[in-house]
Amino acid sequence: MDPPPTAPPTAQPYSPEQAMYRPAYPPGQYPVVTQQPAPYAQQTTNTTVVVNQQPVVVQKAQRNWSTGLCGCFEDCGSLCRGIFCPFFLLTDVSSRMGEGCCFPCCCPGALLGLRIKLRVQQNIQGTLFDDYCKVECCPLCVLCQLARERNHVERRG
């Protein structure tokens, strides 16, 4: 005959340090698993990628001034205004370039600034040093050239 079943050994009380790590089930009494656990819910993530194409800058070849620095006789009207009342010609050019008529009064380097602005806007060849030297050496010629170039740009379109 079989020996009588023995009672499970009595559990020893756990010490406070062991109580933290005590198993969820007492020894020898584990639940029976009859099926696989259900899979976790799958998360779907939609990602939208937006690709912006950078604009391509095509730079046209730089052009020359429509008239030379000493081409004053190509426009006698701006020559006369430049000789007899250069300040009024400067305020007129400044206004036509969108800077207002007070710009030359308030800015000591107005002529240089206007020359650089027109040269850059119209993609005209030149350097800052070249602009500075011409304004310092012959401001009246530069003023008349600006007026002629402004007229040329307005006629062209």
Side-chain angles (χ1 to χ4, degrees):
M1 214 168 49
D2 291 330
T6 58
T10 58
Q12 297 292 328
Y14 291 107
S15 67
E17 294 85 28
Q18 292 173 335
M20 275 181 22
Y21 304 106
R22 189 170 56 186
Y25 300 100
Q29 297 180 4
Y30 299 105
V32 177
V33 177
T34 58
Q35 66 181 24
Q36 290 290 330
Y40 292 107
Q42 292 183 354
Q43 296 179 356
T44 58
T45 304
N46 292 334
T47 304
T48 303
V49 177
V50 178
V51 177
N52 290 330
Q53 185 175 359
Q54 297 297 324
V56 178
V57 177
V58 178
Q59 187 173 1
K60 297 186 299 185
Q62 291 185 328
R63 67 177 183 88
N64 291 324
W65 290 89
S66 62
T67 61
L69 189 62
C70 297
C72 296
F73 292 105
E74 293 181 31
D75 181 7
C76 293
S78 64
L79 174 63
C80 290
R81 287 190 342 182
I83 290 173
F84 296 113
C85 43
F87 184 74
F88 292 117
L89 181 59
L90 182 59
T91 56
D92 179 54
V93 169
S94 177
S95 295
R96 288 169 48 201
M97 289 181 65
E99 295 300 326
C101 60
C102 295
F103 177 66
C105 304
C106 302
C107 181
L111 183 59
L112 178 61
L114 291 172
R115 180 178 171 89
I116 293 169
K117 179 179 179 179
L118 184 66
R119 187 175 56 77
V120 170
Q121 281 180 343
Q122 297 302 316
N123 200 25
I124 298 173
Q125 286 181 303
T127 63
L128 295 176
F129 182 73
D130 182 53
D131 293 336
Y132 176 78
C133 290
K134 288 180 179 174
V135 167
E136 288 298 313
C137 294
C138 192
L140 186 59
C141 294
V142 168
L143 178 59
C144 291
Q145 184 184 33
L146 274 177
R148 289 191 307 273
E149 192 66 35
R150 195 64 215 156
N151 290 339
H152 172 77
V153 168
E154 287 172 357
R155 277 192 308 262
R156 199 177 60 177

